[in-house]
Amino acid sequence: MDGAALAARIRADLRDEVVELGEIGLATILVGEDPASQIYIRLKHEAAEAAGIRAVDRRLPEQTSQEELEALVEELNDDDSIDGILVQTPLPSHIEEASVMRAIDPVKDVDGLHPFNAGQLYFGSTTLAPATPLGIMRLLAEYRVPVAGAHAVVVGRSLIVGRPMALLLLHENATVTICHSRTRDLAAETLAADILVVAVGQAAVIAPNMVKAGSTVVDVGMNRTEAGLVGDVDPGAGDRAAYLTPVPGGVGPMTIAMLLSNAVRAARFRRRLLAFPGHSV
Ligand code: NDP
């Protein structure tokens, strides 16, 4: 499944929407110097600018306190020119991530990690959901992979990928299994999957013989190795699967496209073009 090609089309469509909506501001906050995070921030900014979205790059030193970080979030909450706020994770270990996510105005929460938006997803009335699983649902739709009634297995249960992925698949009527580090027999679970989504962060955690013949395999993993960037799925699985997303060029570009889509969606909420539940007028 070619995520890069679909992402390019989505981004071109978003550009038209941005022209129609007027100026949209997306602010990112990066705390510390994590090299991978710096790359992700750069890619998000380049994509935002290419779509005509004004990207605001706020950086704080590694030793920033919880209060200082949340004060910056508040400043951006109050800034009317900012439609979306993204706090890049992982945050330094002394910062309580959940508290930072709670500090973001839910209507600007383009990563969908505020408990309000996570709750909306749980209820099945999505407001702003995490970009990676949204992008995967778009890929499945694009390639007409049947989801209703399919057995979907999600490996990984993070708040940003695994859990929201399982919920989105469930809302589309898949029969969903969630696996994690304590799963007793991972291969037995993955072999039963019509749709297998892998978000672990470990190269080749899924071997070719763990994949059901004719299934759809979505590789979320991004592992930097001496051989370059690799996913969580051994590429040999492509011989058994009907579809496999490549790394790079699969889920990664879709994540960025859906982040921009969330920024546009947040702008629509803020301009009252879409109703945001409980939002005061
Ligand atoms: P986390 O580290 O937050 O979660 C990893 C999950 O994998 C956990 O639930 C963990 O279980 C589970 N796990 C660990 N080892 C095993 C194992 N041996 N068998 C089964 N499950 C296991 O990672 P993220 O969800 O944030 O990211 C996962 C990967 O996806 C990373 O490589 C990341 O870089 C990549 N990523 C890629 C994106 C993209 O756009 N392409 C976007 C976001 C992430 P437990 O809960 O029990 O610890």
Side-chain angles (χ1 to χ4, degrees):
M1 288 191 279
D2 188 346
L6 178 56
R9 267 193 282 137
I10 292 171
R11 284 166 55 178
D13 290 346
L14 286 171
R15 219 189 136 73
D16 296 341
E17 283 189 61
V18 174
V19 170
E20 174 199 321
L21 284 166
E23 187 163 287
I24 295 179
L26 171 64
T28 63
I29 303 178
L30 175 60
V31 185
E33 310 277 330
D34 180 61
S37 293
Q38 288 179 352
I39 295 171
Y40 300 145
I41 289 285
R42 179 172 55 75
L43 292 175
K44 289 167 185 175
H45 278 249
E46 284 170 6
E49 301 285 357
I53 293 173
R54 188 174 63 91
V56 176
D57 189 357
R58 302 296 295 263
R59 299 199 178 205
L60 294 170
E62 177 84 22
Q63 64 276 15
T64 298
S65 70
Q66 184 92 32
E67 293 70 28
E68 286 166 329
L69 174 54
E70 290 181 14
L72 175 55
V73 170
E74 285 299 335
E75 179 197 320
L76 295 167
N77 283 344
D78 293 341
D79 183 340
D80 206 41
S81 74
I82 297 296
D83 294 289
I85 302 170
L86 175 152
V87 181
Q88 184 68 39
T89 56
L91 288 165
S93 55
H94 65 276
I95 303 272
E96 196 208 329
E97 209 164 288
S99 169
V100 177
M101 298 309 163
R102 273 198 305 274
I104 299 173
D105 183 342
V107 80
K108 297 188 177 186
D109 170 35
V110 286
D111 258 349
L113 292 173
H114 187 285
F116 179 85
N117 290 315
Q120 288 295 122
L121 174 61
Y122 178 87
F123 288 131
S125 18
T126 305
T127 37
L128 291 164
T132 302
L134 283 179
I136 293 169
M137 295 309 288
R138 282 290 282 270
L139 266 176
L140 295 176
E142 175 73 12
Y143 284 84
R144 297 192 159 73
V145 176
V147 177
H151 187 179
V153 175
V154 180
V155 188
R157 55 176 164 180
S158 70
L159 293 175
I160 191 136
V161 187
R163 269 183 240 202
M165 185 74 252
L167 283 171
L168 289 173
L169 288 162
L170 182 63
H171 296 328
E172 295 285 327
N173 299 308
T175 300
V176 182
T177 300
I178 306 175
C179 300
H180 44 76
S181 67
R182 306 288 291 272
T183 295
R184 211 166 277 153
D185 186 349
L186 184 62
E189 305 296 342
T190 60
L191 273 169
D194 303 311
I195 299 170
L196 176 61
V197 181
V198 189
V200 170
Q202 206 176 298
V205 69
I206 302 297
N209 65 2
M210 293 169 73
V211 168
K212 181 176 172 177
S215 63
T216 297
V217 181
V218 178
D219 190 353
V220 183
M222 292 207 284
N223 307 294
R224 274 154 229 289
T225 68
E226 282 174 8
L229 186 69
V230 301
D232 287 349
V233 179
D234 184 319
D239 295 340
R240 285 168 68 102
Y243 288 118
L244 170 64
T245 57
V247 178
V251 175
M254 287 301 295
T255 295
I256 292 182
M258 297 317 286
L259 167 68
L260 302 182
S261 168
N262 273 350
V264 170
R265 193 166 159 80
R268 287 193 189 279
F269 285 136
R270 294 190 67 241
R271 287 157 181 65
R272 318 282 178 211
L273 300 168
L274 270 178
F276 193 81
H279 205 230
S280 57
V281 178

